[in-house]
Amino acid sequence: MLEFINSNIQIIYLVILMIFVGVELIEKVPSVLHTPLMSGANAIHGVVIIGAIIIMGQADNMFATLLGFVAVILGTLNVVGGFVVTDRMLEMFKKKK
Amino acid sequence: MNSQILQVIYLIGSVSFIIGLKMLSKPDTARKGNLVAAFGMTIAILGTIFLYEGILVSNYGWIFGGLIIGSILGTVTAKKVKMTQMPEMVSLFNGMGGACAMLISAVEFRHLTHANEAGNLPSGELLIIMLGLIIGSVSFVGSMVAWGKLSGRVKDYSLSFQQVVNIGLLLLILGAMFYTIYSGTPDVATYFYAIWTMSVIYGILFVLPIGGADMPVVISLLNSFTGVAAAMGGFLYDNKVMLVGGILVGSAGTLLTIVMCKAMNRSLTNVLIGNFGGSSAASEGSEKFGGTIREINASDSAILLKYASKVIFVPGYGLAVAQAQHVCHELEELLEKEGVEVKYAIHPVAGRMPGHMNVLLAESNVAYDKLVEMENINPEFATTDVVLVIGANDVVNPAAKTDPSSPIYGMPILDVENAKNIIIMKRSMKAGYAGIENELFYQPKSSMLFGDAKKTLTQLISEVKAL
């Protein structure tokens, strides 16, 4: 346990700090923005696609190639769809002249 | 050299996620914030493709193929979706992310078992892979069920002892996971696939009994799950941008879920365990409340509206379904021209998602300051001549204040019953999404205007004009 904590100490710091940053960011959000914010956060966790790209890029057998390919498509859907939907929602909040 | 540049790119990406999320939480900067986050994502993706050590150039075709297919599909569906279907869309894309994390775990598990002797796998990596698999699967399947529910393809359904079954299954999954990791069993693969199957079943059972009205909260929760699943990928590849993005969404998403629950004055446990009952109470309304329903036609309603000095519109899901936001704005302008003061009362959870009504009405160019939030509009109902309830139900149900046995008891509602007249536009006498009767309809001040919101509003406009 002690060994595990010591060898991963940087990552543990990062995780804890990020938890606080995440909480801090959301603390005061008007309810109007709940849905767009959720949608934006949804797009950001699409960062999982980087894992899919790594798998795809290193794939040297059929199993990894196929699953990696599907994972890249799904991840891209999450990222692109997420950002576009959020933008469409927010487009409607633009100031009226 | 390349990997050093990549680390800098990841750093910029991570910072842009934080700044983007920060800007997203303020109305003025929200749209730019989304673009900032999208920029960070783009450089992180491109950086990985071209600079990550060990990416085979021969696989570029597959990578770009996947990216292009995903981008086209994603853009087309996101552009084509109607504003009323936004919640489903978010749920669907969230599920895609969960599925992605799930597949990553499946491939990495295979790599791990091929590189090491069975029974002697590195426990740290195995734990991360397993967690990614479980969380990713639950998020994927759960989001699909939530998507099905919101689009009306899946009905609410609960087994008896649902909670016991769910908790039992969850314990079983976790138990199997720790056994697989620490017992050194040679049969890791069998356990892995069993855990995968159980996680998928758990995802279904977790979301299925939760009432449709609570779906936004569930989607938000699953959203933070996917964040944590993405962070597992960050651990696995020691990839800081995945870690930052994942954890950030995990923690922000969890808090957002709690904030949403608060807006409905319910606790998260209450949402997850206390599922809304079916429509058992639906047809006994008239006996229960003693009153009768009074129907009103469009021309009488038009008279009430035109000669009022103050009118408040209460939009709900019915407005969204009927795509009536534009006609609604037209009626508002017409009445304003006649000298009537018109405002909109926006309940935080009207529609199927928090902020749903704001998005819809903003689309039809209703001025920002006309949309008044619940706390500010409630004192105004007493001085209002006519309240026009457009396809809203649960958010104006007095049972939330008076009937402790009601499933929505304790939820703050719009105090429309304080107004002099209440016109309720509804398609039929059917109960609202929570499946409960509304006493408001039986009050002497209330009258029902039946019909599709868009058609009825159009009628109202022509009647007001004709007066």
Side-chain angles (χ1 to χ4, degrees):
Chain A
M1 189 66 186
L2 209 59
E3 196 188 340
F4 176 81
I5 293 179
N6 271 283
S7 55
N8 292 295
I9 194 72
Q10 265 195 324
I11 289 197
I12 295 173
Y13 268 105
L14 188 64
V15 167
I16 293 174
L17 288 176
M18 277 311 130
I19 292 176
F20 278 97
V21 170
V23 169
E24 201 60 35
L25 289 176
I26 304 298
E27 204 98 69
K28 295 177 211 83
V29 184
S31 62
V32 184
L33 282 177
H34 283 172
T35 302
L37 188 65
M38 172 160 94
S39 178
N42 174 44
I44 290 177
H45 70 49
V47 74
V48 70
I49 192 189
I50 288 181
I53 292 174
I54 294 174
I55 283 185
M56 187 67 252
Q58 296 175 339
D60 51 7
N61 56 62
M62 213 42 199
F63 180 78
T65 306
L66 280 182
L67 257 57
F69 184 61
V70 176
V72 170
I73 295 180
L74 295 177
T76 317
L77 270 173
N78 186 177
V79 171
V80 176
F83 281 120
V84 175
V85 161
T86 313
D87 189 62
R88 273 195 62 195
M89 285 186 202
L90 292 169
E91 190 182 36
M92 303 180 168
F93 285 102
K94 64 176 177 246
K95 289 239 163 69
K96 308 281 155 14
K97 267 139 225 149
Chain B
M1 179 66 185
N2 272 358
S3 66
Q4 281 172 338
I5 300 175
L6 187 59
Q7 290 308 320
V8 175
I9 291 180
Y10 283 164
L11 180 65
I12 300 173
S14 304
V15 173
S16 76
F17 287 166
I18 299 176
I19 295 176
L21 213 50
K22 171 104 198 144
M23 291 169 80
L24 265 168
S25 58
K26 295 206 185 60
D28 294 343
T29 53
R31 197 171 180 199
K32 245 186 242 156
N34 187 45
L35 293 180
V36 169
F39 162 78
M41 187 70 75
T42 313
I43 58 167
I45 289 174
L46 291 178
T48 308
I49 297 175
F50 294 112
L51 301 174
Y52 194 88
E53 200 124 346
I55 300 267
L56 304 170
V57 178
S58 55
N59 282 346
Y60 272 12
W62 287 100
I63 296 177
F64 283 106
L67 285 175
I68 291 169
I69 295 176
S71 300
I72 294 175
L73 275 178
T75 314
V76 170
T77 33
K79 287 261 180 203
K80 262 176 59 181
V81 64
K82 293 194 201 93
M83 273 298 148
T84 42
Q85 293 164 337
M86 280 306 174
E88 281 120 280
M89 218 60 231
V90 175
S91 187
L92 189 68
F93 289 138
N94 181 46
M96 298 298 111
C100 184
M102 178 182 88
L103 292 179
I104 290 173
S105 279
V107 177
E108 287 302 335
F109 175 74
R110 204 180 125 109
H111 284 170
L112 201 67
T113 48
H114 279 236
N116 297 277
E117 247 176 84
N120 194 24
L121 302 177
S123 56
E125 277 180 276
L126 194 55
L127 175 68
I128 291 166
I129 291 177
M130 292 275 199
L131 284 176
L133 178 87
I134 297 170
I135 304 171
S137 308
V138 171
S139 180
F140 165 51
V141 182
S143 300
M144 289 302 114
V145 176
W147 170 72
K149 277 199 172 198
L150 282 170
S151 56
R153 290 180 179 86
V154 180
K155 296 270 165 282
D156 295 357
Y157 180 80
S158 69
L159 304 161
S160 44
F161 305 115
Q162 178 85 39
Q163 292 313 319
V164 182
V165 173
N166 280 9
I167 292 169
L169 188 58
L170 186 61
L171 290 177
L172 194 63
I173 291 172
L174 294 178
M177 181 184 85
F178 284 114
Y179 178 78
T180 318
I181 295 169
Y182 295 109
S183 70
T185 166
D187 218 7
V188 200
T190 317
Y191 279 96
F192 183 83
Y193 290 110
I195 290 174
W196 193 351
T197 315
M198 286 193 289
S199 306
V200 168
I201 298 173
Y202 182 76
I204 300 175
L205 293 182
F206 173 64
V207 180
L208 208 54
I210 298 172
D214 284 332
M215 273 310 125
V217 177
V218 175
I219 296 175
S220 175
L221 187 67
L222 292 171
N223 189 30
S224 62
F225 279 6
T226 314
V228 176
M232 289 303 145
F235 281 123
L236 198 57
Y237 301 113
D238 193 17
N239 187 310
K240 301 287 189 303
V241 76
M242 285 176 82
L243 206 59
V244 169
I247 295 287
L248 209 54
V249 175
S251 85
T254 308
L255 189 70
L256 188 61
T257 313
I258 295 170
V259 171
M260 280 183 181
C261 285
K262 265 196 201 141
M264 298 194 287
N265 204 12
R266 306 178 62 199
S267 72
L268 186 56
T269 354
N270 189 276
V271 169
L272 295 181
I273 295 176
N275 51 315
F276 276 146
S279 48
S280 53
S283 56
E284 49 195 58
S286 52
E287 300 121 61
K288 197 170 155 196
F289 304 122
T292 46
I293 325 168
R294 206 157 57 96
E295 224 182 301
I296 190 170
N297 60 26
S299 57
D300 289 344
S301 309
I303 295 173
L304 273 177
L305 289 171
K306 185 176 171 180
Y307 297 106
S309 59
K310 186 171 172 187
V311 172
I312 295 180
F313 289 178
V314 180
Y317 190 63
L319 175 102
V321 167
Q323 289 285 309
Q325 64 271 31
H326 297 284
V327 209
C328 184
H329 178 51
E330 213 178 304
L331 180 65
E332 165 219 323
E333 283 184 318
L334 184 65
L335 290 174
E336 289 263 300
K337 232 189 281 165
E338 302 280 347
V340 185
E341 185 190 356
V342 184
K343 284 184 181 167
Y344 291 84
I346 308 293
H347 190 280
V349 295
R352 287 290 182 274
M353 284 205 136
H356 198 174
M357 289 301 123
N358 299 74
V359 172
L360 266 185
L361 291 167
E363 186 197 354
S364 61
N365 288 323
V366 173
Y368 215 44
D369 54 354
K370 284 214 165 293
L371 309 175
V372 190
E373 295 203 14
M374 183 173 60
E375 300 84 46
N376 301 327
I377 197 94
N378 267 344
E380 290 198 32
F381 282 111
T383 59
T384 303
D385 301 301
V386 184
V387 169
L388 189 63
V389 179
I390 309 168
N393 190 346
D394 298 328
V395 297
V396 295
N397 193 337
K401 284 195 295 195
T402 55
D403 178 9
S405 70
S406 170
I408 58 166
Y409 183 68
M411 179 173 95
I413 56 158
L414 294 162
D415 302 324
V416 293
E417 73 267 25
N418 295 341
K420 297 191 186 82
N421 291 287
I422 307 151
I423 301 174
I424 300 138
M425 297 177 50
K426 245 181 142 301
R427 273 169 299 178
S428 67
M429 274 311 287
K430 260 173 47 189
Y433 213 56
I436 43 179
E437 265 294 334
N438 195 336
E439 187 195 334
L440 180 76
F441 304 160
Y442 300 93
Q443 288 185 359
K445 281 193 281 188
S446 310
S447 20
M448 309 294 297
L449 181 54
F450 288 116
D452 168 81
K454 191 175 185 176
K455 258 194 222 148
T456 320
L457 281 170
T458 318
Q459 268 176 9
L460 281 178
I461 291 173
S462 55
E463 292 286 352
V464 171
K465 276 184 184 157
L467 278 172

